[in-house]
Amino acid sequence: QVQLVESGGGLVQPGGSLTLSCTASGNFFHINVMAWYREAPGKGRELVASINRADITNYADSVNGRFAISRDNNAANTVHLQMNNLKPEDGATYYCHAESLWPDEPDSWGQGAQVTVSS
């Protein structure tokens, strides 16, 4: 099993920047893809960005060009989500997610990090 711990949420003004981090522990070497999802009040959980073992990234259209997901240079079990030019509609609870290489191993979710974009 993989455990995920997120950090870096907070309040930021529109146009500002924020970085979220997610560190995996446990069987993190089983991870195939790490991703960030977000869930705003009254809306479903949506994929924001993902990065796989080959460091291939994928982004939702709504954040492409503004957000960047990356692996920590010094810790392969940590990923960052750099969020730039934040908009009020980016405000949500952001969840880190890890998909296992093994089909019979359950996915893992972090506890969530709150991001509020408001002036």
Side-chain angles (χ1 to χ4, degrees):
Q1 190 71 25
V2 172
Q3 296 78 43
L4 302 173
V5 177
E6 300 130 335
S7 61
L11 172 65
V12 63
Q13 292 186 342
S17 298
L18 206 60
T19 301
L20 301 178
S21 299
C22 175
T23 297
S25 61
N27 294 332
F28 64 85
F29 44 88
H30 288 186
I31 296 174
N32 182 36
V33 180
M34 290 189 74
W36 288 95
Y37 286 74
R38 67 185 180 188
E39 187 170 344
K43 297 185 178 181
R45 192 169 294 190
E46 63 172 350
L47 176 65
V48 176
S50 66
I51 184 167
N52 69 10
R53 291 169 69 90
D55 288 343
I56 294 173
T57 58
N58 182 54
Y59 297 94
D61 289 343
S62 59
V63 306
N64 199 20
R66 298 188 298 122
F67 290 14
I69 188 170
S70 63
R71 198 177 304 281
D72 191 282
N73 289 331
N74 298 313
N77 62 327
T78 296
V79 296
H80 306 291
L81 183 68
Q82 175 68 42
M83 303 182 291
N84 299 320
N85 190 21
L86 282 160
K87 305 175 181 181
E89 53 264 39
D90 294 318
T93 301
Y94 284 69
Y95 296 92
C96 184
H97 175 264
E99 174 191 295
S100 175
L101 279 168
W102 314 119
D104 58 350
E105 191 167 75
D107 294 354
S108 300
W109 291 92
Q111 79 282 3
Q114 184 66 42
V115 172
T116 303
V117 184
S118 174
S119 54

